[in-house]
Amino acid sequence: MTASTLASAKLADSNIIVKAEKVNKHFGSLHVLRDIDLEVRRNEVVVIIGPSGSGKSTFLRCINHLEKINSGHIYVNGHMIGYHDRNGRLVEDSERNIARQRAEIGMVFQRFNLFPHLTTLENIMEAPIRVRKIAASQARADAERLLARVGLADKRDQYPNQLSGGQQQRVAIARALAMKPSLMLFDEPTSALDPEMIGEVLDVMKELAQEMTMIVVSHEMGFARAAANRVVFVDEGQIVEQETPEEFFRNPREERTRKFLSQILH
């Protein structure tokens, strides 16, 4: 049994949903992620904060292999994402296996990425039917339930351009949930919204946070205080500090953390 298989077997028997080990990512000569180590347990909500350009969103995209890592390992549900280990060397997995892994990970982006030619209901039904091969009748029932859950049952037949930004983002959340993921990733989900629409999206996320494993990259410190089990501060591609919200905001240990918080908390 290889080291990779042993690690996968060990992770599969635990409550660790995400495990990143010594993850490094380069864009050319730019070293974006530097030896990132992070574990996220089942039903834990981790909020990642930090300055723009610190590597937060890049790390999130590496978790479902939208970005390829240069070294290290990322496991989700005990399985290495995007690669397999061949004699200590990372070898990229097949597109089929990567797609299967991604189906277990829901992701909500800054931009909503809804299909403009499909109704709200059809946007949510699309992936379960095409990827999971769920019957259309079941996908429709699930989509209607999810629309009600995010407060948009009356918008089922409208198209994305008929919805506000906040409504579109809530549809995007419902669409991700339709795949029944074991992990939800949120990449600054409110950054493209007008201020008056942010609350409606955060309210949905707070509800989800009570029952799902979530990793959220966000500048919304109120959400981090209210919903996170752990806040992780990233700067220059490194995890500088991580702690419970209470400890993180009240008594940060690192000078870099204190300086960052002093700039954003007024």
Side-chain angles (χ1 to χ4, degrees):
M1 185 179 285
T2 67
S4 173
T5 307
L6 282 168
S8 292
K10 181 180 178 182
L11 285 167
D13 292 337
S14 74
N15 280 319
I16 299 172
I17 300 299
V18 179
K19 184 176 181 66
E21 301 175 327
K22 296 290 182 287
V23 171
N24 284 271
K25 170 66 180 175
H26 299 263
F27 289 119
S29 62
L30 186 61
H31 197 170
V32 182
L33 299 176
R34 300 170 180 266
D35 288 336
I36 294 286
D37 289 317
L38 184 70
E39 290 185 1
V40 180
R41 304 188 72 81
R42 189 179 311 280
N43 292 332
E44 187 177 18
V45 177
V46 172
V47 176
I48 301 176
I49 68 172
S52 296
S54 59
K56 310 181 299 297
S57 294
T58 298
F59 175 61
L60 209 66
R61 292 172 64 85
C62 288
I63 293 175
N64 64 359
H65 202 61
L66 289 176
E67 294 287 356
K68 301 176 183 181
I69 63 176
N70 294 103
S71 64
H73 304 88
I74 298 176
Y75 300 91
V76 176
N77 293 320
H79 302 286
M80 194 188 305
I81 292 294
Y83 300 92
H84 57 271
D85 196 318
R86 183 181 295 167
N87 298 323
R89 186 169 61 89
L90 289 184
V91 178
E92 190 162 14
D93 216 335
S94 68
E95 282 298 323
R96 184 173 182 176
N97 284 340
I98 292 169
R100 188 181 300 119
Q101 292 171 327
R102 283 198 187 119
E104 303 298 322
I105 305 170
M107 187 158 185
V108 178
F109 299 87
Q110 298 177 30
R111 297 289 175 178
F112 325 119
N113 296 338
L114 299 177
F115 296 115
H117 63 290
L118 299 181
T119 67
T120 294
L121 196 70
E122 290 167 343
N123 262 282
I124 299 171
M125 293 171 59
E126 181 80 358
I129 291 173
R130 289 186 177 273
V131 179
R132 292 207 182 275
K133 309 303 181 186
I134 293 174
S137 58
Q138 182 61 57
R140 181 177 298 274
D142 289 344
E144 289 173 342
R145 175 180 55 81
L146 288 167
L147 276 176
R149 182 175 184 179
V150 299
L152 294 172
D154 60 334
K155 305 294 185 183
R156 51 169 284 165
D157 297 319
Q158 296 196 359
Y159 290 87
N161 65 3
Q162 297 174 299
L163 303 176
S164 70
Q167 290 170 337
Q168 289 186 62
Q169 193 62 293
R170 283 187 280 158
V171 173
I173 292 172
R175 181 181 59 181
L177 292 173
M179 291 292 285
K180 298 180 171 61
S182 59
L183 169 68
M184 284 286 286
L185 307 177
F186 293 85
D187 184 11
E188 300 192 27
T190 60
S191 65
L193 300 179
D194 292 333
E196 65 269 21
M197 297 176 184
I198 290 173
E200 65 190 58
V201 173
L202 292 180
D203 286 345
V204 170
M205 292 173 60
K206 286 174 187 174
E207 182 185 332
L208 290 178
Q210 299 176 39
E211 58 189 72
M212 291 199 72
T213 308
M214 293 168 46
I215 305 177
V216 182
V217 169
S218 181
H219 295 292
E220 299 293 337
M221 297 301 108
F223 174 82
R225 289 178 186 271
N229 300 109
R230 185 158 34 117
V231 179
V232 176
F233 175 55
V234 174
D235 191 20
E236 296 182 351
Q238 296 177 301
I239 293 178
V240 176
E241 186 165 350
Q242 52 183 311
E243 195 46 90
T244 64
E246 182 180 13
E247 282 298 312
F248 184 87
F249 289 109
R250 185 181 65 183
N251 189 32
R253 297 188 307 273
E254 301 294 330
E255 177 59 31
R256 289 161 74 187
T257 311
R258 290 193 290 270
K259 182 178 179 181
F260 175 77
L261 291 176
S262 71
Q263 293 170 338
I264 64 169
L265 297 179
H266 302 293

